[in-house]
Every structure is written in structure tokens, then in C-alpha cells.
């Protein structure tokens, strides 16, 4: 049986690891960060990413842990709104 190495434990690397394991392919994920810790950053997922999560059976878990973005506002350095976007969704 082949064994694959995945370099990087970010969203792409971990998603690939899950997908390969569901096909009974052995993988090891290598991550350079010494520990997992919150960074205060968000991750936006496009529809095609959610479809990929659906294919490997993790869509509902991912969606239940996040929030749907309904609105995004872009402001300048003094806080004045430059543009605003509204999004559909569930």
C-alpha cells in the first residue's frame, strides 16, 4: 500500500488528508507550526469548497462550526465606508 506525505496542516492539507483516508489511502500530515493555536483570523469558503466538503462527508460539520457571511463592508483608514456587499445563503 502506498503512503503519502502531505506538507502543511492548513485547510487544504487537512481536507486532502480526510479525502485520501476515506479512500483507504494512508497519509501523514506534516506541519511546521509547533502547536495549534487560534490566530484570530477567519476563513471564507466559496461554494466549490463547500461542495468538496460535501463529497468527502464533512460539509455539515464545517458549516455547523462557522457562520454564513451575509454582509461585508470595506472601510478606509479612518473608518468611512467605501463599499458594501450583501450575500445570499442559507
Amino acid at each position: 500500500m502506498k503512503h503519502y506525505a502531505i506538507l502543511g496542516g492548513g485547510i487544504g492539507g487537512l481536507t486532502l488528508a480526510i479525502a485520501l483516508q476515506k479512500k483507504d489511502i494512508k497519509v501523514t500530515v506534516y506541519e511546521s507550526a509547533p502547536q495549534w493555536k487560534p490566530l484570530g483570523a477567519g476563513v471564507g469558503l466559496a461554494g466549490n469548497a463547500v461542495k468538496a466538503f460535501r463529497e468527502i462527508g464533512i460539509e455539515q460539520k464545517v458549516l455547523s462550526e462557522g457562520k454564513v457571511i451575509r454582509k461585508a463592508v470595506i472601510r478606509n483608514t479612518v473608518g468611512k465606508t467605501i463599499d458594501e456587499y450583501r450575500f445570499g445563503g442559507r
Side-chain angles (χ1 to χ4, degrees):
M1 176 195 291
K2 291 185 179 183
H3 183 150
Y4 291 88
I6 298 173
L7 306 180
I11 193 166
L14 295 177
T15 301
L16 177 59
I18 292 168
L20 291 173
Q21 287 175 339
K22 285 186 175 280
K23 295 194 173 284
D24 294 322
I25 297 171
K26 187 170 178 165
V27 298
T28 300
V29 178
Y30 294 93
E31 171 55 49
S32 64
Q35 64 184 22
W36 295 101
K37 59 183 177 179
L39 299 174
V43 175
L45 299 172
N48 57 347
V50 176
K51 287 179 185 175
F53 292 152
R54 183 179 308 134
E55 286 290 318
I56 63 171
I58 64 171
E59 174 192 22
Q60 289 308 311
K61 179 66 175 166
V62 170
L63 293 178
S64 72
E65 294 293 327
K67 300 207 183 284
V68 175
I69 298 172
R70 303 273 184 223
K71 177 179 164 183
V73 178
I74 299 173
R75 300 181 192 276
N76 66 14
T77 56
V78 294
K80 181 180 178 197
T81 299
I82 297 171
D83 211 342
E84 191 174 298
Y85 302 93
R86 294 192 183 276
F87 304 101
R90 299 186 213 195

